[in-house]
Amino acid sequence: MHSIRIALFAATAIPLAACATVQDPAGPNAMMAAAQADADAAATDAHERLFAIFAAADEAELANNPINALFRGDMRYADTLGNYLTDAYNNTERANAQDNLAKLQGIDRAALDETDQIAYDVFAYDQREALSNLTPEILALTDVRPINHFFGFHTFYPTLSSGKSAAPYKTVEDYENGLSRNAGYVKLIDRSIAKFREGMDTGVLETKLTIGNVIEQLETQDALKIEESPYWGPIEAMPDDFSAADKARLTAAYRASIADVYAANRRLHDFLKSEYYPQARDSVGLSQMKGGAALYQQLIEQTTTLPLTADYLHNLGLSEVARIKGEMERVKAQVGFTGSLSEFFDFIRTDPRFKPKSREDLTQRYYDIGEEVEAKIPAFFAVTPKTDLEIRPYEPFREKFEAGGSYQSGAPDGSRPGIFYFNAYDLPSRTTPGETTLFLHEGEPGHHFQISLAQENEALPAFMRFGGNTAYVEGWALYAETLGYPMGLYDDPYQRFGTLDDEMLRAMRLVVDTGLHAKGWTRDQAIEYMLANSGMGRTDATAEVERYIAIPSQALAYKVGALKIQELRDKAKAALGDRFDIKAFHQQVLGTGALPLPVLEQKIDRWIAAQKAG
């Protein structure tokens, strides 16, 4: 279509200009039409050149990050995990980003339409962020800490290889690819050990806490027989149409390959336990690690997409904690509880009415919540994902160290569902009032809507369909929790307490993350703060704090992003009055993928102005 438009404009421009020279009465209009034609042609040319840059960058990204291709259903690189933790990988990433920025300079941004300008801005932002992570100074602080209990291939890879994730096991070639990936995993674990050794030499070390947890994770996996491990799942589900010879050959090959995976994990375990753990840091805060204070400031700005400081975020958290505690006091009074707020927290933690009876009972609760939420969705969203949502508990081999819930994206074409995982570990320590909130966040309309709608939008360039930033992604999911109020899901005071308790968690994260990584807080100090200000059980509070220790700054994104989206909604409502449409607002927020917060704000401001102009 674009090439046809260019040809038509080029063909009509000369005759129209000629008419004007003989003082045709339509001359001024003809000249305006010619000018518009030239502008449209320029915009079309700029669009096509911009999207050619995007397409080339995406191809380069997938070639260097084959796991991303696998999750998108692209099987071209399915036989490899990639050469992560190598100079070659980092050099390729750096060269790609530099090349992308150089090409972008050749595009006249002013010639692009509004949507393409957003894409231009996000792409430039992403490339600059990539380069900031690939400086020698930063890599010396990050690559030498390749694994902790919350981030690492040692927990990601078993699920990927289970036959229940993105890696397909439908053809003989799929199974051969799985064997090749297993070999790549072994190499990656050995490279991880080498990187840990580099950190030991330079004094950049992980914490005893995170490494101790990794050791336990590896021991949990090693205790499983090969036939009981996730890796054996594809053999248990081998397609019936495979020949007897292929079945026998692949079964034997997988047994040997999985044994190699187990051996690599044991090498990692033994190295960490006997050599690394004794030298690991006793402290837990990033600012107490060599080079960690500067790294934490960079992480804050990357995570929030805003130039914020640890002090600002700490104080924002304290303010939000005080506000939410006031709301909790009102719920306590409404249900007639006469004790202190701390005693009310203990009541919620311990009363049997708030305890799930079993894993099956908890699963059914989430099924019921899903049906209730889906009945409310049409009043708030004009566009919903075609990708289905599946509800699952975490697998037992990883549930102890996982968060209360998480989301795994489905296939872009809807052929594989998105998955809402919930945690059924240590059920006696868990409470039920926050279940609705967790589903809104991880499932519908939280991560499942935001991620699926972006992936399914083929009009967007790939980096906007599949990329994103934590402030937008987690900010949207926390904002989605607040929709439970107008949906009528929090009319019950205990459900309302549940969502306040979850909101309190995100407010406390601002306090605790900055406390740990900028203000010298200890692990126990952070846990006690969370117990004193919420209804969380000790198991959950401990898991949360250890998560913040493992992935500094990630916890800051939730409140920062949600507050920005709420601010933009309130601005639109105030400006548009009765003309404000919540479904239209949500489509504006979700319609162009996960934007850096400044880019999102500019987009919403333009939308408000356009709505006011009619």
Side-chain angles (χ1 to χ4, degrees), residues 206-222:
E206 263 295 331
T207 71
K208 278 187 166 64
L209 184 149
T210 53
I211 296 302
N213 286 343
V214 171
I215 291 169
E216 185 174 346
Q217 289 172 328
L218 292 168
E219 289 171 349
T220 299
Q221 293 187 41
D222 194 58

Side-chain angles (χ1 to χ4, degrees), residues 402-421:
E402 293 289 348
S406 65
Y407 177 74
Q408 178 178 293
S409 60
D413 62 0
S415 60
R416 185 183 72 249
I419 301 171
F420 160 48
Y421 283 105

